[in-house]
Amino acid sequence: RFLGFDNPNILPLRNVFAGLYDLDPITNSTDEINQLNIKIRKDAIVNSTNYVIKPQREGGGNNYYNENVRKVLETFTSNELSAFILMERIFPPAQEIELVRDGHVTKTMSICELGIYGIILSNGGSSKLLNDYGGYLLRVKPISSDEGGVAAGYAVLGSPDLI
């Protein structure tokens, strides 16, 4: 939206980030964002395994995956949908790890999710007071778990090994 849909510099950015789409009510508008939302929702109904529906809050849990993506998009009211976002699903490579719980070591296949946080403060207009790096969080979870919240008990914190 900030670079424009036809800007040739946007494709490299889209290849780095997963698509993230609001589920606000669709309007009759022909603007590009509205048309993109219609297209993405149709694709999510047909290819539901490629998307996840998440509530607009932190903490994990209450996500919808696979066939439930289609069901939510087809059955929730516009008001109910507006509490969620639709995101392209990320499929990171798996690796074997050892988890320790209650003194017992368990080997399991896992995946990592790295979240990079930014801080933006503005005066409500176009003037930014602060635009800075805010830290990171590396979640590690069993590959069998769709959920990813650390506080909800689905994942654990990890440390990146930069090589």
Side-chain angles (χ1 to χ4, degrees):
R1 151 173 114 175
F2 298 104
L3 294 176
F5 287 94
D6 296 327
N7 186 325
N9 296 320
I10 201 164
L11 186 58
L13 288 174
R14 284 191 177 150
N15 289 333
V16 173
F17 296 98
L20 193 64
Y21 310 96
D22 69 61
L23 289 175
D24 290 339
I26 295 288
T27 67
N28 291 329
S29 168
T30 58
D31 70 39
E32 290 176 283
I33 293 175
N34 193 60
Q35 293 304 308
L36 177 63
N37 274 344
I38 292 170
K39 178 183 170 190
I40 294 299
R41 288 184 198 193
K42 287 179 180 177
D43 187 60
I45 288 170
V46 174
N47 301 299
S48 57
T49 57
N50 294 332
Y51 295 89
V52 56
I53 293 177
K54 298 180 168 191
Q56 294 197 48
R57 62 173 181 77
E58 282 294 323
N62 303 305
N63 295 339
Y64 295 94
Y65 293 90
N66 303 316
E67 184 62 21
N68 289 325
V69 168
R70 182 190 60 76
K71 289 178 185 174
V72 166
L73 291 173
E74 292 180 337
T75 61
F76 278 28
T77 66
S78 292
N79 190 45
E80 290 170 321
L81 281 175
S82 67
F84 295 88
I85 57 154
L86 178 66
M87 184 178 140
E88 290 177 4
R89 195 155 177 197
I90 301 168
F91 297 99
Q95 62 186 12
E96 186 176 69
I97 63 165
E98 295 179 351
L99 294 174
V100 179
R101 179 174 281 169
D102 297 326
H104 296 85
V105 177
T106 305
K107 287 186 178 186
T108 188
M109 294 303 289
S110 71
I111 57 174
C112 297
E113 299 173 350
L114 178 64
I116 309 276
Y117 297 95
I119 302 167
I120 294 180
L121 295 176
S122 90
N123 63 5
S126 60
S127 174
K128 290 187 183 82
L129 305 173
L130 176 69
N131 184 358
D132 208 351
Y133 167 72
Y136 71 90
L137 178 71
L138 183 67
R139 294 178 199 91
V140 181
K141 65 181 187 175
I143 195 168
S144 59
S145 176
D146 281 331
E147 299 294 346
V150 173
Y154 297 109
V156 297
L157 294 177
S159 297
D161 185 9
L162 304 176
I163 52 173

